[in-house]
Amino acid sequence: MEDVPALIAEETSAALSRCERSPGGAALAGLGAVHARWWRFGEAAAAYGSAVAWLRGSARGAAGLGWGRALTEACRPFEALAVYRLFPGVVGVEVGTAWALLRAHRPHEAIQAVARVGTSEALTALGSALAAVGRFDDAVAAHRAAVGSVAHVAFGESLLRMQRYAAAEQEFRTAARIAEVECDFHTAASAFSGVARVLADIGDLPAALDHHNRAISHFHVLGDRRAEARARHALGLSLSATDPARAVDAHRTAITALLDLADHTTAAVASLSLAHTLAARQELPEARAAAVRSSGLYAESGDRDGEARAHAYVARLAETAGDLGAAESALRTALELWRELGDPDSEAAGWRALARVVSRAGRVTEAAEADRIAARVVDER
C-alpha cells in the first residue's frame, strides 16, 4: 500500500509521455486505462473520448467500452448510456449499460439489459438490479452464480439490503480474503466497509469502527476520493447513536467531497442521514436545512423515491417546528411522487400524515377526506 501513490504517479507520467511522443488513439486509450485503473474517472473519460475519434474496429469498441465505464464511475450515467448506444454488439456493452442504468435509478431496465447474458460480470450486475427492485430470491440465485472478489462484495451489498447480516458478513469477508491474496487493495477496502456496516448493524461498534478506519485508510492511500467519502458517510451512520458529534463531522466531510465530485446521489443520502443525526441532537433548524438540501440533490440525481422520502422528512421536521404550511407543502410533493412511483404503502402513510397536519391547522373536513383517501389507497393495493 505504501508504494501505491508513487506507482500511480509513475504510471500516469509514463502514459502521458507516450501520448506526447506518439499522439494518437492507442496512446490516448492507454492513458484512459491508466486513469481508470487508479480511479481518476473524469480524466479517464476524457482520454477515452478523445481516443474513440482516432480508432477503428475492435480497438475503437474497446475504447468506447472504457469510455462508458469511466463516465458511469464519474457519476455521469446518462452520458454513459449515450456512449454505449454508439457501440452495439461490443462484448461487455450490456453489462456496462446495466451498471449505468442502476446509477440512473432505472433498475428494471438494468435487469432487461443483462437478463440473457451469462457472464460472471453480467450476473453480478443482474443480482444487484434484482435486489434493488425487491426480487431477493432471484437476486441470490444470480449472485451465487457469479465469481470473484467484486462479485462477493456485490452479493454482500444485496444481502445487507435484505438484512441478512450473517450471510452478508460472510460474503464481505470472503471478498476481503480473495482481494488481499490478489493485492486488490480497492476491493479489499470495499469489503472492509461492508463488514463495518454489518458489525454496526448487529451492535459490535468497536469492531465496526476498526473496519471503517481500515477502509477509509485504504481508499485515502489509493486516492479514490469518492470511495473514501462514501466510507466516511458509512462511518457517520455507525456513529450516529453513540457519538452524534463525530457522526455529524463524518457526514459533513463526506458531503463536501461528494458534491465536489458531482456524486449527487450519495450526497443526497448523506445529507438525509445528517438531517436525522442533527434532529436527534435537537438541532432542528440545521436538520431541516439538511433535509431540504437532500430533497434537491435526490431530484438532481433522478432518484424520485429518495426525493419523496426526503420531502416526507422535511414535512416531519416542519411539523415539529409548528410550520404547518411548510409541512403540508412537503407532504403534497411527496404524495405526488409516491403516486407516480406506484408506492401505495408510502402514499397511504403520506395521506395519514397530511390528515394530521391539516387537522392541527383546524381544517377538520380536509383531514377527514385525507384519512378516507388513505383508506382507499390501502384497499386498492
Side-chain angles (χ1 to χ4, degrees), residues 202-220:
I202 65 177
D204 189 350
L205 187 59
L209 294 180
D210 178 62
H211 282 80
H212 277 307
N213 290 329
R214 290 178 73 186
I216 290 168
S217 176
H218 274 49
F219 287 134
H220 182 75

Side-chain angles (χ1 to χ4, degrees), residues 39 45 117 119 123 136 147 149 161 166 173 185 211 241 257 275 280 313 358:
W39 307 285
V117 183
T119 65
L123 289 165
F136 295 128
V147 296
S149 57
R161 183 191 290 266
R173 291 193 182 279
F185 302 118
H211 282 80
Y313 195 59
V358 296

